Amino acid sequence: ASSRIGSVKKMHATLIIFVGCIIANSIAIPQPDLDFIQTQVGDAVKQVQDPWRYPSNSKVVLGKDLWETTDTSAWTCGFFPAIFWKLFNITDDATWVDYALDWTMAIEAQQFNKETHDVGFMVFYSFGHAYEITGNDEYKDITLNAARSLTTRYSPIVGCIRSWNGPNFQVIIDNMMNLEILWWASTFPGYGPFRDMAISHSDKMIKDCIKEDGSSYHLIVYNETDGAVISRSNTPQGFPNGVWSRGQAWAIYGFTMAYRYTKFDRYLTTAIQCAKYYISHVMPDQVPLWDFAVPSNSDRDSSAGAIAASALIELASYVTGDMQTQFRSEAERILASLKQDYLGIPTQSNAILMRGTIGYQMPMNVSLIYGDYFYIEALHRLDQFSHP
């Protein structure tokens, strides 16, 4: 990987267009915060070591909260290299790009994976970010192949990308995030139909997944022969008849992203609606319970807070006046709370954030690799949008 650092640094210009935002080469994340992040990520590298293994969630082992790891088939595999690419973009330290390349290249075979909607998370967050940083056409081609694989899960009858395999045609709100690889691909000549698929999917989610009060269902089940809705519900990740907080954060982020790529007012309107629900139902410290319907003494989900903060910062840039102030202030409060009460303890953990929840009857009060990524991204964006 080190042989590729020279070309990477050569292409690392003073200003880089990165996932739709102009980012200054010198990012003013407070140095103590950046030092903490780099220490935790560096310790995670020392723990994991093998670039074919990827942190997912933590587990207490002999009194220390250590990362459990997966192979490249896990939906979370793209976030570890994404953290490295982000840190390289922030610091210009070639150490991070060396790690980024090692943990990115191991994911290469996933470009042809047609069995999951999460190929967007897996490949765009690794190779897509690699391309945006380096301009290397090899990484672009791999990411475009992954986008093409995702389109094989599109049904013109339903008008959506299939999420989970199984009976009928299942679509979850998380899939709004995986659309980014289609939005991105559609900016290249010849990939216009990918944009049409992403638009159709987003429109169906507005119609079928977002409630009048701005909350979201997690799962919509369609009849794949005629496209009719069979059911709307939460799944085991959310509380029965509740509103899963990470799903709500995915919705804010996903519709904000859709507006970024299209400038369609309906996506901005939906993102605002989802954001207002989140803000009006979140706990006083601005970090949500793992589901908005559970008792107030239930576990939190720090990852949902980090995702929402990152989304709200971008969303604030698309509105004006009191709404802009509200969304940005909310993001700042989330990040301040995460910093104060949710950070990992270096002697006990290799993670950045603690107190994450995967879902109902799943591990709670753990660290989650995607929570760590979106926390870094949110801090990064906070400075970006302060210095346009």
Side-chain angles (χ1 to χ4, degrees):
S2 58
S3 65
R4 282 169 272 187
I5 293 176
S7 63
V8 170
K9 292 183 72 65
K10 182 178 180 181
M11 292 178 172
H12 188 64
T14 302
L15 292 177
I16 299 172
I17 304 298
F18 184 56
V19 286
C21 305
I22 297 178
I23 299 173
N25 194 32
S26 176
I27 303 298
I29 295 176
Q31 194 61 46
D33 296 347
L34 189 56
D35 289 345
F36 168 77
I37 289 168
Q38 292 187 97
T39 296
Q40 295 299 92
V41 176
D43 287 346
V45 172
K46 293 174 186 176
Q47 181 210 322
V48 177
Q49 296 185 6
D50 182 356
W52 289 87
R53 303 299 299 178
Y54 295 81
S56 178
N57 58 273
S58 66
K59 181 178 181 179
V60 176
V61 178
L62 298 176
K64 188 165 184 177
D65 209 29
L66 298 179
W67 285 114
E68 289 195 298
T69 63
T70 69
D71 60 21
T72 61
S73 66
W75 76 271
T76 54
C77 70
F79 292 108
F80 203 40
I83 287 172
F84 298 139
W85 287 117
K86 181 66 72 176
L87 287 177
F88 174 61
N89 197 27
I90 293 169
T91 67
D92 233 4
D93 183 343
T95 301
W96 298 121
V97 77
D98 207 8
Y99 292 143
L101 289 166
D102 285 341
W103 266 272
T104 293
M105 297 310 295
I107 299 173
E108 184 173 1
Q110 295 301 324
Q111 66 185 298
F112 301 116
N113 188 344
K114 300 175 182 178
E115 298 303 312
T116 176
H117 67 290
D118 285 319
V119 70
F121 277 138
M122 297 157 79
V123 178
F124 187 78
Y125 278 72
S126 53
F127 283 96
H129 286 195
Y131 172 70
E132 296 293 346
I133 293 292
T134 68
N136 187 323
D137 283 342
E138 176 188 357
Y139 306 151
K140 179 185 75 173
D141 292 343
I142 289 169
T143 311
L144 289 173
N145 283 338
R148 191 175 296 109
S149 294
L150 183 58
T151 64
T152 66
R153 301 179 66 80
Y154 179 79
S155 164
I157 296 173
V158 176
C160 287
I161 301 286
R162 181 190 295 268
S163 297
W164 293 338
N165 302 323
N168 299 307
F169 196 99
Q170 302 178 55
V171 181
I172 58 175
I173 190 63
D174 319 35
N175 216 350
M176 287 298 301
M177 299 292 293
N178 286 292
L179 294 184
E180 181 158 21
I181 199 170
L182 301 186
W183 295 124
W184 171 86
S186 71
T187 64
F188 294 93
Y191 290 87
F194 291 12
R195 174 185 169 93
D196 296 337
M197 294 179 194
I199 289 172
S200 176
H201 185 108
S202 301
D203 289 347
K204 291 285 284 190
M205 289 298 95
I206 292 175
K207 178 176 179 288
D208 297 331
C209 192
I210 305 302
K211 306 172 194 177
E212 288 187 8
D213 64 358
S215 64
S216 57
Y217 293 105
H218 186 207
L219 172 67
I220 311 296
V221 179
Y222 294 96
N223 183 320
E224 56 190 319
T225 62
D226 63 11
V229 173
I230 295 174
S231 64
R232 299 177 175 88
S233 66
N234 263 349
T235 68
Q237 284 184 276
F239 194 66
N241 300 314
V243 178
W244 182 44
S245 60
R246 189 161 68 250
Q248 192 70 17
W250 291 142
I252 303 167
Y253 198 116
F255 285 108
T256 300
M257 177 205 307
Y259 180 75
R260 181 205 311 158
Y261 280 97
T262 65
K263 294 300 183 285
F264 290 170
D265 287 343
R266 61 184 180 272
Y267 298 151
L268 181 61
T269 298
T270 304
I272 291 169
Q273 186 182 17
C274 294
K276 287 184 174 181
Y277 182 92
Y278 177 98
I279 293 170
S280 65
H281 288 79
V282 77
M283 296 298 287
D285 74 347
Q286 313 308 312
V287 177
L289 299 166
W290 65 271
D291 191 291
F292 289 114
V294 297
S296 60
N297 62 347
S298 302
D299 286 296
R300 307 298 184 90
D301 184 9
S302 58
S303 75
I307 295 161
S310 185
L312 287 167
I313 293 165
E314 181 177 3
L315 182 57
S317 73
Y318 300 138
V319 296
T320 59
D322 291 344
M323 192 179 296
Q324 182 180 71
T325 300
Q326 179 190 27
F327 291 161
R328 184 176 176 87
S329 296
E330 176 66 18
E332 291 173 344
R333 287 193 294 268
I334 295 170
L335 292 173
S337 184
L338 290 173
K339 179 179 177 180
Q340 179 173 318
D341 295 320
Y342 294 80
L343 293 185
I345 301 171
T347 58
Q348 300 176 18
S349 170
N350 296 330
I352 296 168
L353 292 180
M354 301 187 300
R355 302 174 66 184
T357 294
I358 296 179
Y360 184 51
Q361 297 181 336
M362 298 179 184
M364 297 183 177
N365 197 24
V366 296
S367 296
L368 299 167
I369 193 64
Y370 40 91
D372 284 8
Y373 171 78
F374 285 105
Y375 179 70
I376 298 171
E377 182 184 84
L379 289 174
H380 195 191
R381 285 180 162 189
L382 194 64
D383 186 78
Q384 289 169 230
F385 289 104
S386 294
H387 304 85

